[in-house]
Amino acid sequence: MLNTLRKVVQEVNGAKDLKTALSIIVQRVRAAMGTQVCSVYLLDPETNRFVLMSTEGLNKRSIGRVSMAPNEGLVGLVGTREEPLNLEDASSHPRFRYFAETGEERYASFLGAPIIHHRRVMGVLVVQQKERRQFDEGEEAFLVTMSAQLAGVIAHAEATGTIRGLGRQGKGIQEARFVGIPGAPGVGVGTAVVVLPPADLEVVPDKTVTDIEAELALFQHALESVREDMRQLSERLSTQLRKEERALFDVYLMMLDDAALGNEVTQIIKRGQWAQGALRQVVTEHVRRFEMMDDAYLSERAADVKDLGRRLLAYLQQARQQCLVYPDQTILVSEELSPAMLGEVPEGKLAGMISVLGSGNSHVAILARAMGIPTVMGAVDLPYSKVDGISLIVDGYHGEVFTNPSPQLLKQYSAVVEEERQLTQGLEALRSLPCETLDGHRMPLWVNTGLLADVARAQQRGAEGVGLYRTEVPFMINDRFPSEKEQLSIYREQLAAFHPQPVTMRMLDIGGDKSLSYFPIKEDNPFLGWRGIRVTLDHPEIFLVQARAMLKASEGLDNLRIMLPMISGVHELDEAQHLLHRAWCEVRDEGVNISMPPVGVMVEVPSAVYQARDLAREVDFISVGSNDLTQYLLAVDRNNPRVADLYDYFHPAVLQALKSVVEDAHAENVPVSICGEMAGDPAAAVLLMAMGYDSLSMNATNLPKVKWLLRQMSLSKAKELLDQLLKIDNPQVVHSALHLALRNLGLGRVINPASTVQS
């Protein structure tokens, strides 16, 4: 059964459309299970009826005609109960219904499995037999597995708009919704531009082209390039391989010949398919044939075809990347977004982003929030390779993606985009006004920076200082450790840009999900491993060079604050303080006249929460990193989409920890700020202010929204709200109660403008 399943899945994944995929499944399942009938019924959302869409064993003319409501027949029962139904004598069941139009005889046994995708019933997969037969557990498991496979295929067909013929009107399903994780708030409406991973044939989409001659020329160039590569490889290895082993390269060259792979790809291109799609079709078909062969030698040839396919694709992608067109409203889609991909899109054209992998707290999501680009992360079920060029809606508030949206939905979301634009314009008037509550409480709003573009954005939005400058950014965009002189220049630029406002520079924080290509850290559990201060204390030469560069950069400006990341106890703080003072003495000895800047620690790990008072006695300020603190308190990897719904800074344990840190720091008369993503959430900012945080640091995009909301509140009301919420033991209830309270005060407009859209 497992071998059969593997082969069926391969065939289904290679099917050109949904009709073909359904046909493959009913044929292969009927043969594998030795039954007389296998059928697929799909739920038509317009009529709410299960429609027979494919069958092997029943009258083919009944396809699209036979349907039943959820309260009718055994198929309806399987769909409504959402679990398999295994009957030895189906006709004796009270829900049994006979459809004469199917031309079916009285089949005795029945096994049905629901087709479910993202908790939504999409249809039912059924096998039937004349004789009485109790299907065993293995057969039931096989059918359930096939239905799960089919669910993904149907969802993908919905996304790309290839479902046709459902329902009497034959309208088909155009609009499809996919659920991911909110990455960056906002709504983006536009056209999908898919950025494929390098040389991965499996994810190449189909695409129609009009300039067939240009496409053929591209393919011929790729063919010749790979042929030349093979010849050079053969020549280079001539002294290391025997003659018969070198013959493999001759086999490769034969495969590339115009009479073999090359010719087949050319023929498909001539029918209007682009070169990459034609290559995928040919290679996939050859690989499938080879892999299904029982002969071990022949089945291994599949790897050779795959290798050739990847080599050809790499050349085609290289040529394509040079002429990639970005429409005005580009929705960037990729398996895994990277900062480099963002940089490729011309300024002003990026309307939204979707990443299949990653979570709302991946660094690319943090970057998206800083740039104000609506983003959905972890959209694992989106058939991303097939959506290139189609219309999309990105709802960064709810983490939803809509493919082929209906005119009505487009109208609703376009209204949200316009409302956001007007809100942003309205908030610009606050730039020069202080962040002060109705009862006179002053709350300084600072920004998190790292990119050069952040400086202008922060100043345009009225930032009062930098609460976090991520010094790892210059390290990450380099191919070696930057020298002291190079670092000094970068830091001086930041300090001068914000002078006389304070700039809090975090010492190098690498490890976890922040890696340097020239300083690789390989660990099974990187977030609990060698990261942050642990790395730089083990490498004092890195720490000292960076500290010296910071200190020298502050000469004559005196607005530097130094922050130590990932401190887990007083012993680490003592070591780091010792190195900082050593660097300061060295710089002074060189004749640089500077005073020792304020030094603070980041509270990011639970141990620091419990030692906050001890740490406060030895530093000038404390800053909470809410992203990592939430992750460590809840034992949730913030980059893992599978557990992303458990990552919630409104969790009662997180709120209690945040409140405790403020109380302990203030007991030692030490100011405390917060620089995680939580500070940029307007609703959360109300609670942080009520707890007593002395300043909030956030991405510049969110600063106006936070300022607007805090200016509409009184501190006394915020404290009253905090007291109520701290009594709640469920994070979802905290979230809902907070948003409801703000809406009741007429302050909901900056929280989630998309909440009015009925999806």
Side-chain angles (χ1 to χ4, degrees):
M1 279 292 189
L2 279 175
N3 194 38
T4 303
L5 183 65
R6 180 177 63 84
K7 290 181 178 179
V8 175
V9 168
Q10 280 179 342
E11 276 195 271
V12 169
N13 286 340
K16 68 177 188 292
D17 54 30
L18 180 66
K19 185 179 177 183
T20 308
L22 295 180
S23 179
I24 290 167
I25 281 182
V26 294
Q27 288 174 32
R28 300 293 179 266
V29 170
R30 186 177 84 148
M33 296 185 68
T35 61
Q36 284 141 353
V37 176
C38 179
S39 309
V40 174
Y41 297 81
L42 296 188
L43 183 62
D44 181 355
E46 286 189 10
T47 61
N48 196 33
R49 295 181 69 84
F50 289 98
V51 183
L52 178 64
M53 291 300 291
S54 189
T55 185
E56 197 66 28
L58 300 182
N59 186 343
K60 300 271 190 191
R61 282 178 297 192
S62 62
I63 292 174
R65 295 180 182 178
V66 169
S67 70
M68 61 196 82
N71 62 351
E72 291 181 319
L74 298 175
V75 169
L77 182 63
V78 172
T80 51
R81 283 176 50 177
E82 300 182 13
E83 59 184 359
L85 183 63
N86 189 348
L87 300 172
E88 188 176 354
D89 181 15
S91 60
S92 64
H93 193 282
R95 283 286 293 269
F96 177 78
R97 184 180 167 192
Y98 174 68
F99 291 89
E101 57 265 52
T102 60
E104 63 180 291
E105 300 177 44
R106 298 271 179 177
Y107 291 101
S109 52
F110 173 98
L111 175 60
I115 302 166
I116 299 174
H117 184 78
H118 255 306
R119 303 186 183 183
R120 177 163 69 98
V121 175
M122 309 186 86
V124 177
L125 179 60
V126 173
V127 291
Q128 295 169 275
Q129 189 148 324
K130 289 178 191 173
E131 303 81 20
R132 288 193 177 193
R133 169 182 175 184
Q134 186 69 50
F135 293 98
D136 63 32
E137 288 179 358
E139 290 170 319
E140 191 173 315
F142 176 77
L143 198 71
V144 167
T145 307
M146 284 313 310
S147 69
Q149 175 68 22
L150 188 50
V153 173
I154 298 166
H156 289 189
E158 283 186 350
T160 52
T162 57
I163 286 186
R164 294 288 182 275
L166 263 187
R168 293 188 185 121
Q169 296 81 18
K171 292 178 184 173
I173 300 171
Q174 285 295 306
E175 185 183 291
R177 170 176 165 268
F178 292 84
V179 180
I181 299 155
V187 168
V189 178
T191 305
V193 173
V194 176
V195 181
L196 299 172
D200 185 352
L201 270 170
E202 290 181 9
V203 299
V204 169
D206 287 322
K207 194 184 289 186
T208 305
V209 290
T210 50
D211 193 345
I212 290 172
E213 289 306 315
E215 215 61 28
L216 287 170
L218 275 177
F219 180 62
Q220 286 304 320
H221 178 263
L223 268 180
E224 196 45 56
S225 299
V226 175
R227 284 184 185 128
E228 186 56 33
D229 286 350
M230 290 300 111
R231 294 187 194 105
Q232 288 180 8
L233 273 171
S234 178
E235 190 63 36
R236 201 178 324 149
L237 298 173
S238 59
T239 57
Q240 301 169 44
L241 298 177
R242 296 195 301 273
K243 187 178 179 182
E244 54 269 31
E245 290 168 335
R246 283 175 61 198
L248 172 64
F249 293 104
D250 295 330
V251 173
Y252 270 34
L253 289 168
M254 284 170 59
M255 285 182 178
L256 292 169
D257 194 68
D258 286 342
L261 284 177
N263 182 51
E264 290 182 50
V265 175
T266 299
Q267 293 308 313
I268 294 175
I269 293 173
K270 286 178 179 177
R271 295 201 290 268
Q273 177 69 271
W274 72 321
Q276 294 185 38
L279 177 67
R280 187 210 71 233
Q281 286 183 29
V282 171
V283 169
T284 302
E285 182 58 27
H286 278 275
V287 167
R288 187 182 65 79
R289 284 183 198 153
F290 278 127
E291 286 183 341
M292 293 177 77
M293 291 177 181
D294 294 327
D295 184 283
Y297 174 79
L298 289 174
S299 64
E300 282 298 316
R301 299 289 63 76
D304 296 338
V305 178
K306 277 183 189 172
D307 181 50
L308 273 181
R310 276 194 292 265
R311 289 172 184 272
L312 286 165
L313 180 61
Y315 278 105
L316 288 172
Q317 284 184 340
Q318 193 178 331
R320 182 76 53 184
Q321 197 64 39
Q322 293 163 2
C323 55
L324 193 60
V325 177
Y326 295 97
D328 285 342
Q329 294 296 108
T330 290
I331 305 290
L332 202 61
V333 185
S334 181
E335 182 179 34
E336 190 161 22
L337 287 171
S338 70
M341 292 175 186
L342 275 66
E344 293 292 327
V345 185
E347 193 173 345
K349 289 195 170 188
L350 190 55
M353 301 193 295
I354 303 165
S355 182
V356 174
L357 302 178
S359 81
N361 291 284
S362 305
H363 272 87
V364 75
I366 292 172
L367 185 64
R369 287 196 284 276
M371 296 173 71
I373 303 164
T375 301
V376 171
M377 305 291 291
V380 292
D381 292 309
L382 181 75
Y384 76 100
S385 64
K386 298 180 180 177
V387 300
D388 193 71
I390 72 171
S391 177
L392 292 180
I393 292 174
V394 177
D395 183 342
Y397 293 109
H398 300 103
E400 294 176 339
V401 176
F402 295 90
T403 58
N404 297 303
S406 64
Q408 182 188 2
L409 196 65
L410 271 174
K411 186 179 177 182
Q412 286 179 306
Y413 270 108
S414 295
V416 172
V417 172
E418 177 58 23
E419 186 184 336
E420 285 183 329
R421 189 187 65 78
Q422 291 178 7
L423 175 64
T424 303
Q425 278 185 340
L427 295 176
E428 284 175 4
L430 298 176
R431 175 183 168 183
S432 58
L433 297 175
C435 182
E436 191 173 293
T437 62
L438 295 175
D439 50 1
H441 177 71
R442 185 81 169 80
M443 174 56 78
L445 300 184
W446 295 4
V447 288
N448 301 336
T449 67
L451 302 166
L452 198 59
D454 292 333
V455 176
R457 199 178 289 115
Q459 291 170 339
Q460 286 164 8
R461 286 163 174 77
E464 300 171 64
V466 176
L468 168 64
Y469 171 62
R470 300 182 178 95
T471 61
E472 64 272 10
V473 174
F475 284 78
M476 291 169 79
I477 60 176
N478 226 317
D479 56 4
R480 56 171 173 75
F481 280 107
S483 67
E484 182 179 318
K485 191 176 178 182
E486 287 169 328
Q487 289 184 58
L488 189 158
S489 173
I490 294 166
Y491 303 153
R492 181 77 180 181
E493 193 172 29
Q494 278 284 327
L495 292 165
F498 285 96
H499 184 264
Q501 295 168 330
V503 176
T504 311
M505 294 195 165
R506 179 173 67 187
M507 296 297 292
L508 185 62
D509 185 17
I510 55 170
D513 60 345
K514 290 175 286 187
S515 59
L516 304 179
S517 59
Y518 50 89
F519 189 72
I521 301 171
K522 299 290 183 188
E523 292 179 309
D524 290 336
N525 199 338
F527 283 100
L528 296 181
W530 201 46
R531 61 171 301 201
I533 201 72
R534 299 166 185 177
V535 175
T536 51
L537 288 181
D538 284 351
H539 282 273
E541 75 281 10
I542 297 173
F543 188 106
L544 288 166
V545 166
Q546 185 176 33
R548 285 164 52 87
M550 283 182 186
L551 293 165
K552 286 181 179 179
S554 71
E555 186 180 15
L557 297 173
D558 296 323
N559 60 336
L560 170 68
R561 296 174 6 131
I562 295 178
M563 189 157 66
L564 304 166
M566 277 290 289
I567 295 290
S568 61
V570 174
H571 63 292
E572 287 175 334
L573 173 58
D574 289 342
E575 277 188 74
Q577 292 265 43
H578 171 73
L579 288 174
L580 279 175
H581 280 87
R582 178 176 152 189
W584 180 60
C585 291
E586 289 174 3
V587 168
R588 298 261 298 183
D589 287 346
E590 290 177 27
V592 180
N593 184 25
I594 51 162
S595 55
M596 186 66 187
V599 175
V601 295
M602 288 193 80
V603 172
E604 301 176 273
V605 296
S607 60
V609 173
Y610 292 102
Q611 277 204 294
R613 193 156 185 176
D614 298 321
L615 294 168
R617 291 191 187 103
E618 298 194 25
V619 293
D620 302 299
F621 66 92
I622 280 179
S623 184
V624 174
S626 64
N627 299 354
D628 271 332
L629 183 59
T630 302
Q631 162 172 266
Y632 291 130
L633 278 172
L634 303 181
V636 173
D637 177 355
R638 59 191 173 101
N639 292 305
N640 185 344
R642 288 184 180 176
V643 292
D645 58 333
L646 298 174
Y647 178 94
D648 192 340
Y649 45 67
F650 285 115
H651 192 290
V654 177
L655 296 179
Q656 294 287 356
L658 291 169
K659 187 168 180 284
S660 169
V661 172
V662 178
E663 290 169 351
D664 286 350
H666 284 177
E668 297 297 327
N669 296 313
V670 170
V672 58
S673 64
I674 182 164
C675 62
E677 291 296 300
M678 186 180 183
D681 178 339
V686 171
L687 301 187
L688 295 170
M689 178 178 72
M691 288 177 189
Y693 279 86
D694 297 292
S695 61
L696 308 177
S697 188
M698 63 206 70
N699 66 65
T701 303
N702 276 12
L703 194 147
K705 292 182 179 182
V706 172
K707 182 186 281 191
W708 180 86
L709 185 55
L710 296 187
R711 282 176 58 87
Q712 308 299 312
M713 291 283 296
S714 65
L715 178 60
S716 57
K717 185 64 184 177
K719 287 182 175 180
E720 183 187 315
L721 195 52
L722 176 65
D723 289 342
Q724 293 169 8
L725 296 177
L726 287 175
K727 295 170 186 171
I728 299 172
D729 61 5
N730 184 306
Q732 282 79 32
V733 179
V734 171
H735 202 277
S736 302
L738 175 57
H739 283 211
L740 180 62
L742 292 173
R743 284 199 181 92
N744 288 341
L745 291 169
L747 304 175
R749 65 190 285 246
V750 296
I751 297 170
N752 183 354
S755 59
T756 56
V757 176
Q758 300 298 313
S759 54

